Amino acid sequence: MARAAACLRPVDRLTGPPWRGCDDVLMGFDVDRVRACYPALADGYAYLDGAAGTQLPNAVIDAMAGAYRAGLGNSGGAFPASRRSDEITAECRRAVADLTGGRPQGVILGPNMTTLTYRLARALAAGWGPGDEVVVTRLDHDANVRPWVQAASAVGAVVRWADVQLPEGDVPLASFRRLISDRTRLVAVTAASNLIGTRPDVAGIAALAHAAGALAYVDGVHATPHGTVDVRELGADLYATSAYKWSGPHVGAVVADPALLESLAPDKLAPAPAEVPDRFEQGTLAFADLAGVTAAVEHLASLAGPASGAGTRRERILAGLAAAEAHEQELFRVLLGGLDAMGHVTTYGKAARRTATAYFTVAGRTPRQVAEHLAGREVNVWDGDNYAWELTGALGLRETGGAVRAGLVHYNDRSDVERLLAAVAELGG
Ligand SMILES: Cc1ncc(COP(=O)(O)O)c(C=O)c1O
């Protein structure tokens, strides 16, 4: 299929892009227009590995190259190149705040979610001691488990575990009612499982945490590209995300209430900035990448095409991610229906609310053998535990190499799904 549709840039909204016609857009998400933004997709592979990291649209690549071409300096200098870096940083905070419904002054930027979570766990645990408790789940990626387990252990606090209910693959609200008490200081929970897509009732869990005087640390790394996010509606005191999961470069961010950040004293160098959020950002930020993050947010804001109208960036992001979610869910029904219809395939997870992320095994093949077979058919999938260490244990898959993950993102199309299904069908009988 030709990929000739024009790539939407912010300027196109002013000059009028070559839309295919209003009816097309109202009838559905224009995936060909979206795919045309991504040069990497031209290699012909079906990129079903988006849950491990997405490809970059031209606008993001250009923004990063443009930042370097314009000249960057280190932060806080008296000359224009330094001021450009500081403006890129400020704009990136505004973009991530628009994406998540947070406030720019509460956006901590850094290399990735894992590093930032370790940093915050250490800062938060400085206020805990013996008798305090932390709640973690067996649904979460290990980056929202181990930093809390280790921080709790360092100060003598107790860890309480929310188990995964199977076969649904969810962490029910009722178990948090039993686990959370007035000793709880923090509840760490994912907004979506990176393995099986489950979207737990984060707002309900956070409300229980708040009623007990505890904080909610929400891992939004997998969830952010698959639907709209509002940190206040979620009740997330701290919300972590990673731009490389939503068409941006390798940058992590944690969004928090600036007042909460003011109450914490992270490790920092003596001459480093003392204000919030800068004091959480150890060392020099990757300024050009931050320009890419802002461009990635603009890309998400463009996804609904003209349906997103001329609203604020936040409004356009909400429209774009809602359109992306509807598109992904439609394809997911085809993907899951196809996999479940094959006798030699077992799929995992049945949560009522989940992202378009399939996790499956094939009888008689290791996950790596399946992934290699699919790679031979030009279909990219991930195999293994994907660092959802506790969950692969709960599913009984840890000792056998996990399973195969096929994760849809907004640039996947029907042919990607059909190619995966055809290649998996070859492994039957
Ligand atoms: C749900 C989830 N949380 C956390 C992480 C870790 O993110 P990062 O690579 O930014 O440290 C990942 C990465 O795959 C993830 O999928």
Side-chain angles (χ1 to χ4, degrees):
M1 181 184 292
R3 303 284 185 211
C7 180
L8 183 66
R9 309 277 174 96
V11 69
D12 292 333
R13 281 191 297 279
L14 304 175
T15 57
W19 299 117
R20 306 172 141 225
C22 213
D23 287 350
D24 285 355
V25 174
L26 290 176
M27 277 163 52
F29 181 80
D30 191 346
V31 69
D32 288 342
R33 177 180 66 87
V34 170
R35 289 179 66 91
C37 301
Y38 287 83
L41 300 185
D43 72 359
Y45 278 68
Y47 280 82
L48 297 173
D49 63 330
T54 42
Q55 302 306 309
L56 270 55
N58 278 315
V60 173
I61 298 166
D62 291 349
M64 293 190 286
Y68 280 124
R69 284 208 183 86
L72 298 171
N74 210 330
S75 176
F79 51 96
S82 172
R83 282 200 292 276
R84 276 198 288 277
S85 296
D86 287 337
E87 182 43 41
I88 284 172
T89 307
E91 183 52 40
C92 183
R93 291 196 211 287
R94 288 193 284 272
V96 173
D98 279 352
L99 176 63
T100 57
R103 290 169 57 195
Q105 310 92 296
V107 175
I108 304 167
L109 299 167
N112 51 59
M113 178 275 187
T114 305
T115 304
L116 291 177
T117 302
Y118 264 116
R119 220 176 267 173
L120 282 152
R122 193 170 155 84
L124 285 156
W128 306 340
D132 287 334
E133 296 183 0
V134 175
V135 178
V136 296
T137 88
R138 296 197 199 279
L139 183 68
D140 273 80
H141 186 286
D142 214 50
N144 201 30
V145 175
R146 222 54 55 186
W148 306 112
V149 171
Q150 291 162 0
S153 152
V155 298
V158 170
V159 176
R160 303 239 172 255
W161 292 86
D163 286 323
V164 178
Q165 189 175 61
L166 296 173
E168 292 77 15
D170 206 347
V171 278
L173 196 56
S175 42
F176 289 89
R177 283 200 189 94
R178 286 191 296 276
L179 292 166
I180 295 173
S181 73
D182 58 4
R183 291 185 298 278
T184 310
R185 302 302 304 274
L186 181 130
V187 178
V189 64
T190 191
S193 158
N194 65 312
L195 211 59
I196 55 175
T198 308
R199 288 178 173 280
D201 179 0
V202 171
I205 295 164
L208 292 175
H210 294 157
L215 295 172
Y217 191 98
V218 179
D219 178 358
V221 172
H222 185 68
T224 306
H226 299 299
T228 58
V229 178
D230 187 319
V231 289
R232 273 171 291 200
E233 273 175 21
L234 283 176
D237 298 290
L238 301 116
Y239 180 91
T241 186
S242 263
Y244 76 97
K245 308 288 190 179
W246 34 266
S247 306
H250 291 87
V251 172
V254 171
V255 183
D257 181 349
L260 170 63
L261 299 182
E262 291 290 356
S263 71
L264 300 174
D267 290 336
K268 67 175 267 310
L269 303 181
E275 64 264 21
V276 162
D278 311 54
R279 73 168 175 249
F280 290 85
E281 295 167 344
Q282 295 169 347
T284 309
L285 291 169
F287 302 116
D289 286 358
L290 302 190
V293 172
T294 301
V297 171
E298 288 289 351
H299 172 73
L300 298 177
S302 78
L303 289 179
S308 61
T312 63
R313 180 166 60 190
R314 172 77 180 147
E315 287 165 350
R316 288 185 284 111
I317 291 167
L318 294 177
L321 286 174
E325 183 178 18
H327 167 73
E328 291 172 16
Q329 289 294 331
E330 196 179 317
L331 287 183
F332 191 48
R333 277 191 284 279
V334 178
L335 172 61
L336 213 50
L339 289 174
D340 281 335
M342 295 184 211
H344 58 295
V345 172
T346 304
T347 59
Y348 299 87
K350 297 186 189 317
R353 291 183 63 239
R354 62 190 294 199
T355 62
T357 315
Y359 196 54
F360 63 96
T361 49
V362 175
R365 315 278 171 151
T366 66
R368 177 46 65 103
Q369 286 170 339
V370 176
E372 282 169 354
H373 170 76
L374 291 174
R377 300 289 184 271
E378 301 194 340
V379 177
N380 297 347
V381 293
W382 211 257
D383 63 288
D385 58 53
N386 302 289
Y387 279 30
W389 184 244
E390 297 294 335
L391 181 55
T392 40
L395 292 170
L397 295 171
R398 198 187 283 164
E399 314 311 329
T400 51
V404 177
R405 181 179 65 184
L408 300 172
V409 293
H410 60 259
Y411 56 63
N412 290 123
D413 66 6
R414 178 103 184 191
S415 76
D416 291 339
V417 171
E418 284 170 355
R419 281 163 63 192
L420 175 119
L421 291 175
V424 174
E426 290 171 356
L427 299 172

